[in-house]
């Protein structure tokens, strides 16, 4: 009896534990999420999983990193700017996916006075091996070859467009295939500074538009000169970071925008600049590409996402890093949110002060400057399927893309992009009726209308005989009946036929 | 049995009065005068029109193409949807009667109700075909839908004005003035209702807490 009681109690305890843990699992939290049509957060299977966290020890260093601020990736090599230690660390990834230290760059060779770095904040490396280093406190961007021989430096422009009073503090840079340098400097708000390959200043590119509304203007008009001086000036905002994508367009991001402008779509946190400096980022999604759309306060976090770095893959999916809540947002070429993941914290996959994001193939590397570590993310099965579906569609393999999106739906039934993806694939295959169903499910009115227009056309073409018969029956028949009756009436009442 | 029915209780009269609502729509001045003065309208027909209006509103949610009407079903409360028609209507009738009865308005409450309902006719008449129409158009043709849909409301408002004018035997300016005044009266009514319900709530909670206190003391 006692034994059975004991067993029974153990059994009950198991049930209680089982129930409580299943309750935890059902709680509405998750690492990866999407926004649905209504803006509700829909948790998703993880698209990326942490495969490695690299600290100074893993990089083969004997001392700690100190305020590292930037990453650069080319093929299988990674460069890391260890800013406060005035050095650059070059890592290489072997075939098994492990990272090894290649070398530590602390000084350069050649015909130049200053051979060491002072607070290097960013690095870019060209295909032919030249390195461009933002040597911030030495007021230069220095170009060296693979063996660290000095080639050229890009210094403060002597142009009158450039404020000669302020010191030149290059902060972030990117380069194009011709060796032009695009650089953003602290306290420069006129846009991205552009240098020709020979080091000549070639002007500014892509200053953000200044926005102000009627109330701002009125307020300024009514205030005194002293008050105006204290007020925030209507000046363009500075960029946080730049990234050169494979097509030669510059992704630029900024976090210094007022939440109201962001919300109204008047200002963009993420911009894609062409060579003229105009923004060509496509914003066809349900939400502007600005990170989180719910800016709940709590836990010391408030306000919109602050996009601090961008990286764009060859399939036009770009990833934005939010330093406010430590999240990564992926957008596709149409500006739809593909997924978002991450958060603030100390666990692997969460960040304390993320500053830089890069991609290596489909893998992501995120640098945390407070944690002094690089987190390496690898796509999960779900993440790979999403990429495959997007890439197949871009390659024109619409049927395959549709099948892949179907598989994605199997893994995540709450994923709007997948339904629209299936619909778009069906649309390309001219299966309009089916496509309409998928678009209607996820409220994609534009694609639905495209499909419906064709569907309607086909329907009318197939049923033109029916349509004509119905038209005939509705209009011609009553008319002719009336006519016949009229003639009959005339005949009946005509004197000529009167028989008496 | 049939012989004992009064004229206004017959089906024939009901159909006639219902059909008369269409005449009112096309000939508002003439129609609304006859509505009460010639007794060509009926409350039964008014109720029917109101029912159709509510029905159009509800069916619109479900059957309009998602291009024009996207419904967050989690938040839909059918009683609230019905109330969005009935509650303003009730406020309007009460407010209008309360004001016009003081300023030489000739209409009785039931006549105000009847005339207002008759003026709602364009809403179901236009919205029902629009539900079907919405399902055969694309985004590019959406303008037609929105214009016609807005027209149904504008016509209804104009008809209400015409109806009030004839019922109360007012002139145009006075009608518009009292329509605006009625809108204000509706706000006052809402305020009084809020006050009333919060007072009732306070009163009930007073007696509940007193009862609790007594039980506590007795123990």
């Amino acid at each position: 009896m006692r034994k059975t009681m004991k067993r029974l109690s153990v059994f009950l305890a198991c049930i209680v534990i089982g129930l409580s843990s299943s309750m935890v699992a059902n709680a509405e939290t998750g690492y990866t999420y999407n926004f649905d049509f209504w803006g509700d957060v829909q948790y998703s299977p993880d698209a990326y999983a942490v495969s490695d966290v690299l600290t100074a020890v893993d990089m083969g260093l004997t001392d700690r990193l100190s305020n590292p601020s930037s990453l650069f990736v080319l093929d299988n090599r990674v460069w890391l700017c260890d800013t406060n230690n005035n050095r650059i660390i070059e890592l290489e990834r072997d075939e098994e996916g492990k990272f090894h230290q290649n070398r530590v760059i602390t000084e350069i060779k050649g015909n130049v006075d200053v051979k060491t770095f002072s607070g290097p904040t960013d690095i870019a490396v060209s295909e032919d091996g030249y390195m461009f280093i933002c040597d911030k406190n030495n007021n230069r961007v220095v170009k060296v070859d693979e063996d660290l021989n000095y080639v050229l430096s890009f210094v403060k422009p002597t142009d009158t467009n450039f404020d000669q009073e302020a010191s030149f503090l290059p902060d972030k840079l990117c380069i194009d295939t011709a060796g032009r340098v695009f650089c953003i400097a602290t306290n420069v708000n006129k846009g991205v500074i552009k240098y020709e390959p020979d080091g000549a200043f070639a002007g500014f590119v892509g200053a953000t538009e200044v926005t102000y509304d009627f109330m701002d203007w009125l307020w300024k008009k009514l205030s005194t000169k002293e008050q105006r001086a204290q007020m925030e000036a209507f000046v363009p905002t500075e960029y946080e970071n730049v990234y050169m994508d494979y097509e030669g367009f510059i992704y630029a991001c900024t976090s210094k925008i007022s939440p109201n402008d962001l919300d109204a779509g008047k200002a963009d946190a993420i911009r894609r600049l062409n060579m003229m400096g105009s923004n060509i980022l496509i914003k066809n999604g349900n939400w502007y590409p600005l990170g989180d759309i719910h800016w709940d306060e709590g836990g010391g976090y408030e306000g919109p996402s602050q996009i601090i770095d961008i990286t764009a893959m060859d399939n036009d999916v770009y990833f934005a890093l939010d330093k406010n809540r430590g999240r990564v947002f992926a957008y596709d070429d149409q500006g739809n949110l593909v997924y978002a993941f991450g958060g603030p914290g100390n666990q692997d996959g969460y960040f304390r002060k993320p500053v830089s994001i890069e991609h290596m193939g489909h893998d992501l590397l995120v640098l945390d400057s407070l944690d002094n570590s690089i987190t390496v993310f690898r796509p999960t099965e779900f993440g790979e399927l999403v990429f495959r579906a997007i890439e197949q569609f871009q390659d024109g393999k619409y049927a395959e893309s549709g099948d892949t999106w179907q598989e994605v739906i199997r893994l995540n039934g709450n994923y709007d992009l997948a339904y629209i993806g299936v619909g778009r694939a069906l649309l390309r295959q001219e299966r309009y009726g089916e496509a309409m169903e998928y678009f209607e499910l996820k409220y994609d009115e534009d694609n639905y209308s495209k499909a419906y227009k064709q569907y309607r056309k086909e329907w009318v073409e197939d049923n033109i005989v029916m349509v004509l018969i119905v038209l005939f029956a509705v209009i011609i028949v009553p008319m002719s009946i009336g006519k016949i009756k009229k003639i009959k009436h005339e005949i009946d009442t005509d004197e000529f036929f009167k028989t008496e | 049995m049939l012989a004992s029915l009064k004229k206004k209780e017959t089906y024939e009269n009901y159909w006639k009065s219902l059909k008369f609502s269409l005449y009112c729509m096309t000939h508002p001045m003439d129609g609304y005068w006859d509505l009460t003065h010639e007794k060509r309208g009926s409350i039964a027909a008014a109720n029917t029109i109101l029912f159709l209006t509510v029905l159009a509103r509800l069916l619109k949610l479900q059957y309009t193409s998602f291009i024009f009407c996207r419904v967050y079903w989690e938040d839909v409360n059918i009683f609230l949807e019905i109330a969005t028609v009935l509650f303003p209507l009730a406020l309007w009738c009460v407010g209008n009667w309360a004001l016009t009865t003081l300023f030489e308005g000739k209409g009785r409450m039931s006549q105000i109700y009847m005339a207002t309902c008759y003026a709602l006719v364009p809403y179901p008449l236009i919205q029902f075909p629009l539900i079907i129409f919405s399902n055969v158009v694309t985004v590019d043709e959406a303008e037609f839908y929105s214009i016609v849909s807005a027209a149904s409301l504008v016509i209804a408002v104009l008809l209400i004005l015409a109806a009030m004018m004839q019922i109360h035997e007012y002139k145009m300016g006075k009608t518009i003035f009292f329509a605006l005044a009625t809108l204000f009266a509706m706000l006052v009514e809402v305020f009084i209702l809020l006050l009333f319900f919060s007072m009732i709530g306070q009163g009930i909670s007073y007696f509940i807490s007193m009862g609790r206190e007594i039980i506590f003391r007795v123990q």
Side-chain angles (χ1 to χ4, degrees), chain B residues 152-166:
Chain B
S152 76
L153 293 175
V154 172
I155 296 174
V157 169
L158 292 178
L159 286 183
I160 287 177
L161 282 180
M164 292 305 117
M165 202 165 144
Q166 299 300 345

Side-chain angles (χ1 to χ4, degrees), chain B residues 70-144:
Chain B
R70 284 159 218 181
V71 187
Y72 190 69
W73 287 109
E74 282 87 334
D75 277 356
V76 171
N77 181 342
I78 194 164
F79 296 108
L80 265 180
E81 290 297 326
I82 294 172
T84 55
V85 179
L86 296 191
F87 188 63
L89 181 73
L91 290 182
W92 167 267
C93 291
V94 172
N96 194 273
W97 174 79
L99 278 176
T100 52
T101 204
L102 297 176
F103 292 93
E104 298 161 348
K106 300 287 187 294
R108 296 199 306 269
M109 180 82 113
S110 66
Q111 289 172 340
I112 293 171
Y113 168 75
M114 188 164 76
T116 310
C117 286
Y118 267 68
L120 290 178
V121 162
Y123 189 80
L125 207 65
I126 293 177
Q127 291 294 339
F128 276 120
L130 265 189
I131 291 173
I132 300 166
F133 176 71
S134 78
N135 284 295
V136 294
V137 292
T138 62
V139 175
D140 308 329
E141 295 130 24
E143 284 300 305
F144 294 107

Side-chain angles (χ1 to χ4, degrees), chain A residues 15 47 65 94 131 177 190 209 249 308 311 329 381 436:
Chain A
I15 287 179
L65 300 175
D94 64 20
M131 289 181 232
T177 45
K190 289 179 178 172
E209 289 101 5
F249 294 112
I308 184 116
T311 186
F329 297 88
E381 185 195 355
M436 277 158 56

Side-chain angles (χ1 to χ4, degrees), chain A residues 70-80 91 93 99 123-125 127 243 311 356-361 363-365 374:
Chain A
S70 189
L71 283 179
F72 186 82
V73 169
L74 184 69
D75 301 330
N76 64 339
R77 283 185 293 172
V78 182
W79 288 265
L80 166 67
L91 306 169
R93 193 178 203 185
F99 287 87
I123 179 171
V125 183
E127 294 281 346
Y243 178 85
T311 186
S356 186
I357 184 167
E358 282 291 333
H359 72 275
M360 187 181 271
D363 294 0
L364 287 180
L365 284 79
I374 302 175

Side-chain angles (χ1 to χ4, degrees), chain A residues 253-290:
Chain A
C253 57
T254 175
S255 64
K256 299 180 186 78
I257 310 179
S258 81
N260 289 336
D261 284 353
L262 260 186
D263 208 20
K266 277 200 270 178
D268 307 304
I270 301 171
R271 314 181 85 211
R272 193 179 185 216
L273 308 173
N274 63 8
M275 284 305 109
M276 301 293 293
S278 28
N279 185 12
I280 55 162
L281 192 77
I282 300 173
K283 297 183 282 186
N284 285 345
N286 286 330
W287 318 102
Y288 296 118
L290 48 76

Side-chain angles (χ1 to χ4, degrees), chain B:
Chain B
M1 181 66 193
L2 264 177
S4 66
L5 282 174
K6 283 188 225 149
K7 185 195 161 231
K8 69 172 189 178
E9 286 167 353
T10 58
Y11 277 115
E12 197 193 347
N13 186 54
Y14 169 70
W15 283 118
K16 247 170 107 183
S17 60
L18 198 56
K19 254 195 214 160
F20 186 67
S21 68
L22 296 177
Y23 180 80
C24 285
M25 203 173 106
T26 46
H27 309 79
M29 294 302 166
D30 193 21
Y32 287 112
W33 180 268
D34 289 358
L35 191 71
T36 49
H37 297 87
E38 304 288 326
K39 294 202 169 43
R40 291 180 71 176
S42 70
I43 295 287
N47 288 338
T48 312
I49 293 163
L50 185 59
F51 175 74
L52 286 176
T53 305
V54 172
L55 196 68
R57 222 187 132 67
L58 294 181
L59 290 183
K60 200 178 157 184
L61 289 181
Q62 171 71 55
Y63 294 108
T64 302
S65 165
F66 78 98
I67 294 173
F68 305 102
C69 175
R70 284 159 218 181
V71 187
Y72 190 69
W73 287 109
E74 282 87 334
D75 277 356
V76 171
N77 181 342
I78 194 164
F79 296 108
L80 265 180
E81 290 297 326
I82 294 172
T84 55
V85 179
L86 296 191
F87 188 63
L89 181 73
L91 290 182
W92 167 267
C93 291
V94 172
N96 194 273
W97 174 79
L99 278 176
T100 52
T101 204
L102 297 176
F103 292 93
E104 298 161 348
K106 300 287 187 294
R108 296 199 306 269
M109 180 82 113
S110 66
Q111 289 172 340
I112 293 171
Y113 168 75
M114 188 164 76
T116 310
C117 286
Y118 267 68
L120 290 178
V121 162
Y123 189 80
L125 207 65
I126 293 177
Q127 291 294 339
F128 276 120
L130 265 189
I131 291 173
I132 300 166
F133 176 71
S134 78
N135 284 295
V136 294
V137 292
T138 62
V139 175
D140 308 329
E141 295 130 24
E143 284 300 305
F144 294 107
Y145 178 91
S146 1
I147 288 172
V148 176
S149 184
S152 76
L153 293 175
V154 172
I155 296 174
V157 169
L158 292 178
L159 286 183
I160 287 177
L161 282 180
M164 292 305 117
M165 202 165 144
Q166 299 300 345
I167 298 267
H168 297 309
E169 296 173 26
Y170 279 175
K171 288 224 168 56
M172 194 64 186
K174 206 173 176 187
T175 313
I176 291 171
F177 174 76
F178 275 101
L180 294 177
T182 307
L183 291 180
F184 182 73
M186 286 164 77
L187 288 180
V188 174
E189 282 172 66
V190 169
F191 173 71
I192 291 171
L193 281 176
L194 280 176
L195 208 67
F196 177 75
F197 282 115
S198 90
M199 288 279 280
I200 294 281
Q202 299 258 339
I204 290 172
S205 65
Y206 168 75
F207 285 107
I208 286 176
S209 61
M210 199 164 74
R212 284 214 183 111
E213 187 78 11
I214 290 167
I215 291 166
F216 181 70
R217 295 285 164 193
V218 167
Q219 279 175 345

Side-chain angles (χ1 to χ4, degrees), chain A residues 1-248:
Chain A
M1 184 60 199
R2 205 164 163 194
K3 216 168 185 177
T4 40
M5 279 301 283
K6 210 170 174 180
R7 273 183 193 158
L8 194 68
S9 59
V10 168
F11 179 66
L12 280 176
C14 284
I15 287 179
V16 169
I17 291 167
L19 276 179
S20 60
S21 63
S22 72
M23 270 152 69
V24 170
N26 283 337
E28 289 258 317
T29 56
Y31 182 65
T32 308
Y33 61 90
N34 281 106
F35 301 122
D36 66 6
F37 173 79
W38 302 106
D40 290 349
V41 170
Q42 297 288 355
Y43 290 102
S44 149
D46 287 348
Y48 271 97
V50 176
S51 81
D52 216 347
V53 177
L54 304 173
T55 59
V57 177
D58 302 306
M59 296 176 206
L61 300 170
T62 48
D63 53 347
R64 303 157 133 271
L65 300 175
S66 178
N67 190 25
S69 60
S70 189
L71 283 179
F72 186 82
V73 169
L74 184 69
D75 301 330
N76 64 339
R77 283 185 293 172
V78 182
W79 288 265
L80 166 67
C81 289
D82 191 3
T83 307
N84 286 10
N85 288 333
N86 300 326
R87 62 183 176 182
I88 288 160
I89 296 146
E90 186 181 314
L91 306 169
E92 191 162 345
R93 193 178 203 185
D94 64 20
E95 261 139 49
E96 289 155 23
K98 291 265 172 264
F99 287 87
H100 304 285
Q101 190 206 101
N102 244 356
R103 56 179 167 175
V104 176
I105 304 166
T106 51
E107 58 183 56
I108 55 178
K109 294 177 277 193
N111 182 23
V112 63
D113 294 339
V114 187
K115 290 195 166 67
T116 54
F117 303 123
S118 177
T121 46
D122 200 7
I123 179 171
V125 183
S126 67
E127 294 281 346
D128 44 10
Y130 289 103
M131 289 181 232
F132 299 76
I133 298 157
C134 260
D135 198 0
K136 187 172 186 174
N137 295 333
N138 284 335
N139 306 333
R140 62 174 180 180
V141 173
V142 61
K143 178 182 179 184
V144 295
D145 70 8
E146 207 155 0
D147 303 319
L148 307 176
N149 294 309
Y150 172 82
V151 178
L152 193 63
S153 54
F154 302 83
V155 290
K156 175 152 87 177
T158 48
D159 200 274
T160 46
N161 265 332
F162 202 89
D163 182 9
Q164 296 296 323
E165 306 276 304
S167 53
F168 177 59
L169 297 167
D171 198 28
K172 300 285 172 194
L173 86 169
C174 62
I175 53 169
D176 68 4
T177 45
R180 290 189 198 92
V181 171
F182 298 88
C183 156
I184 42 183
T186 309
N187 298 328
V188 173
N189 58 19
K190 289 179 178 172
V192 181
I193 304 162
K194 180 181 169 189
Y195 291 100
E196 292 300 334
D198 61 358
F201 171 65
F204 294 99
V205 177
T208 55
E209 289 101 5
V210 178
T211 56
Y212 61 93
D213 56 21
F214 176 70
M215 282 309 286
D216 290 333
W217 177 82
L218 193 68
W219 204 237
K220 276 244 152 128
K221 283 278 157 202
L222 292 178
S223 47
T224 64
K225 210 168 205 173
E226 289 76 29
Q227 284 172 324
R228 263 202 295 270
Q230 286 188 348
M231 259 191 262
E232 215 179 323
F234 297 143
V235 293
T237 48
E238 292 168 43
Y239 287 120
E240 290 280 355
N241 216 326
V242 281
Y243 178 85
M244 178 73 68
D245 73 2
Y246 73 104
E247 285 179 301

